[in-house]
Amino acid sequence: MNTYCKAAIRNQKELMTGIWKMELEAPEIAHSARPGQFIQMYPPDERNLLARPISLAAIHGESVEVVYRVVGKGTEQFSRLRDNDMVQLMGPLGNGFTLPEAGERSVIIGGGLGIPPLLELSKRIPGEAEVFLGYADAPFMDGDFRGHGRKVHVASQTGNGGFRGTVLELVEAIAPFADRVYACGPRQMLQAVAEWAERQGIPAQVSMEERMACGIGACLGCAVKIQKPGEKDWQYLRVCRDGPVFSGREVVWNG
Amino acid sequence: MDDRMETVVAGVALKNPVITASGTFGSGREYGELIDLNCLGAVTVKGVSCEPWKGNPIPRIAETQSGMLNSIGLQNPGVEHFIEHDLPFLRQHDTKIIVNICGHTLAQYCAVAERLADCDVDMLELNISCPNVEEGGLAFGTAPRMVERVVQAVRHYTGQPLTVKLSPEVTDITEIARAAVSGGADALSLINTLRGMKIDIHRRRAVLASKTGGYSGPGIMPVALRMVYEVCKTVDVPVIGMGGIATFEDALEFIMAGAAAVAVGTANFHNPYATVEIIEGIRGYLEENDIASLDKIRGIVD
């Protein structure tokens, strides 16, 4: 159930340069949210008209947690908010991930700021799940995945944290056995993951990102090319409403 | 029903003067989960064409200072889908339905108007001003003779009340307004978006895939208000004023400039309750100032 509400900020802190984590006290959102869903966060300065879509990293009793990178004016404003400041939110939005069936083994693959949206999923997967995280340089949040007992593999461009290379190169090197793949990260990474999953013959759920206006499916701003099985042609679906999680094999990656 | 809020546009009685602007509200379904659609004067649905349109490539959205750019390209599933799925949904609500219609050719505009002619809708809004489609749209809306011709042609295929949505991208808006009225428009809607652009200096390219898009939001309101004012002084048909309206004060400015009703667009993205708050705000203003009807202040600025 989507709610438009004000939330109090708790425990905002900078995880590493430019990457921030905050807890938002929003019971209505926390009570109905599922892993893979997102919220719209409205910048306090009204000259920034559009809300910023940010995925939920964690869902606690009365609050949700988000992790974001300062990339522009909106996120810069969020980073200046302090504990007890209020921020306007709408959510939870989108479809979220579908959890695996009992007995299935999962692989979770995240890249950069695509890692936080996988945390709550990782916590809630009842069975076995192996986690692969890719970074530009220094890892962050890998401890959160280890914290609930997941086996975590880290890759980075610099070799910081272990493997030097892309997260998919690491996945290919380890060649985990899986029944399902979950991924969030840059589009190029998601495409590589979807193609890898296809070669393994396993379904991949990929969480996509796109510039958004309304966040609820009315404006058709955040389009993604999807071709459903059995359909002759692709169509534009809405990341906010029909996604953000799509089947990797249905996304039209080139074009 | 609050009589002092009533307004009439093209013979259609609205319970209040607040309408949603086309393209910002879908067909109401999504916003209906947040607000009560029954409180709206009317819902103007997203542009409907005779066949499904895929729309433009991504990115389609860019934020600007106090505004935004869009280049959706009138993506829509076509008039048959609208009649089957969206119209029955909207009809469950106590609000008027305005269907924005679009086409790439004169024949396409006529076809969609003809298809809707016997449907249970309250008004058609002819979109000859979209900046985001290559053929149709602006090409029809910027030359007076073309405007008159397309309105006349569509008029021939429908007896529904017809409003024509005008582009601000013209030398003289009053000339275009007169042409639309002479073609048979019962009302005018203005303004559509202005053409704008945003460049990402880090990537050194335009943010929008289509380079330019329609600029909307509070930044365009003074331009919109001036044009509504000029057109209201020029033609006798009612005007639906729109362009950057975000508060009840904004809406009242349009009414004092002469608008019969107002449409709220981009503000819905910023605040999904914008329409509801604007309705309450206008009502409060009328009560506080003991104004018996909107007619008492409509066009009061000379």
Side-chain angles (χ1 to χ4, degrees), chain A residues 141-163:
Chain A
M141 287 181 83
D142 48 326
D144 295 292
F145 288 84
R146 291 196 181 94
H148 54 270
R150 295 297 178 201
K151 186 168 188 189
V152 176
H153 308 276
V154 169
S156 75
Q157 302 297 323
T158 56
N160 190 342
F163 183 87

Side-chain angles (χ1 to χ4, degrees), chain A residues 47 50 52 220 233 241, chain B residues 33 54 60 63 66 270:
Chain A
R47 284 173 297 181
L50 300 179
R52 272 49 176 173
L220 309 187
D233 201 2
R241 191 86 177 188
Chain B
E33 293 169 10
K54 283 191 157 177
R60 293 174 167 184
E63 191 185 63
S66 296
H270 178 65

Side-chain angles (χ1 to χ4, degrees), chain A residues 1-4 40 42-43 45-52 73-74 88 90 187 210-214 216-225 233-238 241, chain B residues 23-26 29-31 33-34 46 54-68 72 75-76 200 203 207 216-218 266 268-273 277:
Chain A
M1 170 73 185
N2 179 19
T3 315
Y4 179 76
Q40 286 275 68
Y42 296 78
D45 183 343
E46 296 202 343
R47 284 173 297 181
N48 294 103
L49 282 189
L50 300 179
R52 272 49 176 173
K73 286 177 185 155
Q88 183 70 52
M90 181 167 63
R187 186 182 172 95
E210 186 47 51
R211 284 170 183 270
M212 245 172 230
C214 74
I216 58 175
C219 76
L220 309 187
C222 57
V224 57
K225 273 188 190 173
D233 201 2
W234 59 267
Q235 58 180 317
Y236 277 124
L237 293 187
R238 304 161 295 184
R241 191 86 177 188
Chain B
T24 64
F25 208 72
R29 204 183 291 273
E30 293 82 11
Y31 280 94
E33 293 169 10
L34 291 162
K46 180 163 176 61
K54 283 191 157 177
N56 288 343
I58 50 167
R60 293 174 167 184
I61 300 282
E63 191 185 63
T64 64
Q65 187 88 330
S66 296
M68 65 173 285
I72 311 297
Q75 178 183 337
N76 81 92
D200 180 333
R203 295 195 169 104
V207 172
S216 65
T266 301
N268 293 309
F269 303 152
H270 178 65
N271 171 12
Y273 292 88
E277 290 171 10

Side-chain angles (χ1 to χ4, degrees), chain A residues 28-42:
Chain A
E28 303 95 327
I29 293 177
H31 292 165
S32 65
R34 300 189 309 273
Q37 289 191 299
F38 70 96
I39 53 173
Q40 286 275 68
M41 282 182 65
Y42 296 78

Side-chain angles (χ1 to χ4, degrees), chain A residues 12-16 18-24 39 41 53-58 64-70 75 78 112-119 140-141 144 209:
Chain A
Q12 158 119 291
K13 63 175 182 200
E14 195 168 20
L15 293 179
M16 53 191 296
I19 298 178
W20 293 77
K21 179 168 105 168
M22 64 161 80
E23 202 178 310
L24 297 152
I39 53 173
M41 282 182 65
I54 302 183
S55 279
L56 299 175
V64 293
E65 217 170 83
V66 293
V67 174
Y68 61 93
R69 192 203 303 271
V70 173
T75 42
F78 296 147
L113 263 288
I115 290 167
L118 297 164
L119 181 60
F140 60 90
M141 287 181 83
D144 295 292
E209 187 176 39

Side-chain angles (χ1 to χ4, degrees), chain B residues 70-89:
Chain B
N70 88 82
S71 176
I72 311 297
L74 293 170
Q75 178 183 337
N76 81 92
V79 68
E80 296 306 329
H81 183 278
F82 171 77
I83 291 169
E84 198 179 324
H85 296 97
D86 295 328
L87 193 51
F89 167 80

